[in-house]
């Protein structure tokens, strides 16, 4: 490429004489001029063109292009000037390799900054990009940065003629050894990534584990998830366990409201219409905790062994209020049923004694001689 460039500008340089150092200086000066024109003229035209064709491209991304393109044009000029001077083979190798290494470092810095800008913009559209959001953003930033740095090191070593095959093979062996040694940690790490990307629950949700533990999610980390139970006890669960378990999210769905069930049994002699009326009246009275929409419902479930089984269904604003609401409703149901003489059956046991046991008592006899 540099030979073609030199052939293109050679007729122009011969106008100023045959001195190679003069020609090299002109090439460097020309590269400064071209780089400045691109920086201050062409970039403005590029922004106007992008705005005209209505392409959604962040202006900060275009601003980042100034530096790498500007210095790349300068480095091309320095490389062309070095080829005109025609140093020795060793000097030329050192000069060209150094210039290429500088160019790689400049573009590496650009990609690191561009990665930050692009991923942050992607994270602002979680509906379009489910995997990248505010929670997983640091992970993807670090992952892409590592890839960029590894490629930078590889290209720099390649420019200087260093064979990376042995290094890559050694890195693969070390990676396998580390993977076996830290398989549990890696399992938790990848599970944490999938949990953050899939978002089956979020901080503040009330979840129920397979073990029956129920509580509020307080922290979702890369290694574990923390849950605060109703007893104010913090439980830490590894993400690998959370990823392979059935989780009931009581706060999930279209809203945070949760259904609360209150079963109650009444005597077979009770008036079922009156029971429905009393239960509905109790539910509609507790407006502080019970939602009006959806409205409460009463269901006659089944004929039990000793009672007619009803169920009062209400909606509460938050799952955390379930225990309190059940306590309030049960207390009011008991009071209202007692006041209206609606019997709540309970287990009774009658004991029948067939025959009283006979008690024998032997009194000691006096010996008579």
């Amino acid at each position: 490429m540099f030979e073609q460039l030199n052939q293109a500008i050679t007729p122009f340089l011969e106008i100023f004489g045959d001195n190679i150092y003069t020609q090299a200086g002109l090439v460097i000066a020309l590269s400064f001029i071209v780089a400045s024109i691109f920086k201050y003229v062409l970039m403005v035209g590029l922004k106007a063109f992008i705005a005209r064709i209505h392409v959604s491209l962040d202006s900060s991304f275009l601003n980042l292009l100034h530096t790498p393109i500007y210095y790349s044009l300068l480095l091309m000029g320095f490389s062309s000037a070095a080829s005109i001077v025609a140093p020795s083979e060793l000097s030329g190798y050192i000069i060209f390799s150094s210039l290429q290494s500088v160019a790689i470092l400049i573009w590496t810095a650009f990609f690191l900054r561009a990665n930050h800008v692009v991923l942050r913009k992607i994270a602002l559209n979680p509906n379009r990009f489910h995997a990248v959001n505010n929670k997983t953003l640091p992970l993807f930033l670090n992952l892409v940065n590592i890839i960029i740095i590894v490629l930078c090191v590889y290209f720099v070593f390649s420019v200087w003629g260093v064979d990376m095959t042995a290094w890559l093979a050694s890195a693969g062996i070390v990676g396998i050894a580390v993977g076996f040694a830290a398989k549990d940690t890696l399992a938790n790490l990848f599970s944490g990534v999938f949990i953050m990307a899939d978002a089956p629950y979020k901080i503040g949700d009330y979840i129920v584990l397979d073990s029956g533990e129920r509580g509020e999610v307080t922290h979702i980390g890369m290694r574990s998830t923390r849950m605060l139970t109703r007893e104010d006890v913090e439980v830490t669960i590894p993400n690998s366990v959370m990823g392979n378990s059935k989780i009931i999210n009581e706060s999930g769905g279209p809203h945070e409201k949760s259904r609360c069930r209150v079963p109650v049994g009444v005597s077979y002699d009770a008036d079922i219409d009156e029971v429905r009326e009393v239960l509905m009246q109790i539910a509609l009275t507790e407006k502080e905790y019970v939602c009006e929409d959806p409205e409460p419902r009463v269901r006659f479930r089944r004929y039990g062994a000793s009672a007619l089984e009803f169920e009062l269904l209400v909606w509460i604003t938050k799952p955390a209020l379930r225990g309190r609401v059940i306590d309030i409703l049960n207390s009011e149901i008991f009071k209202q049923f007692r006041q209206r003489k609606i019997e709540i059956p309970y287990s009774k046991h009658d004991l029948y004694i067939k025959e009283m046991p006979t008690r024998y008592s032997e009194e000691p006899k006096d010996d008579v001689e």
Side-chain angles (χ1 to χ4, degrees), residues 121-133 136 197:
K121 186 175 182 181
I122 291 176
L124 295 177
N125 299 287
N127 295 329
R128 186 175 180 182
F129 304 95
H130 299 285
V132 183
N133 49 55
T136 60

Side-chain angles (χ1 to χ4, degrees), residues 226-243:
R226 298 175 190 171
M227 182 183 71
L228 187 66
T229 65
R230 297 302 297 164
E231 290 79 19
D232 287 338
V233 177
E234 187 176 65
V235 180
T236 301
I237 309 102
N239 285 333
S240 59
V241 176
M242 297 294 287

Side-chain angles (χ1 to χ4, degrees), residues 3 54 75 88 90 106 121 129 218 258 271 296 320 329 335 343 368:
E3 294 179 356
H54 303 289
L75 291 174
S88 62
L90 178 60
I106 291 173
K121 186 175 182 181
F129 304 95
T218 58
S258 178
D271 185 351
L329 294 177
K335 294 177 183 179
E343 182 183 357
V368 178

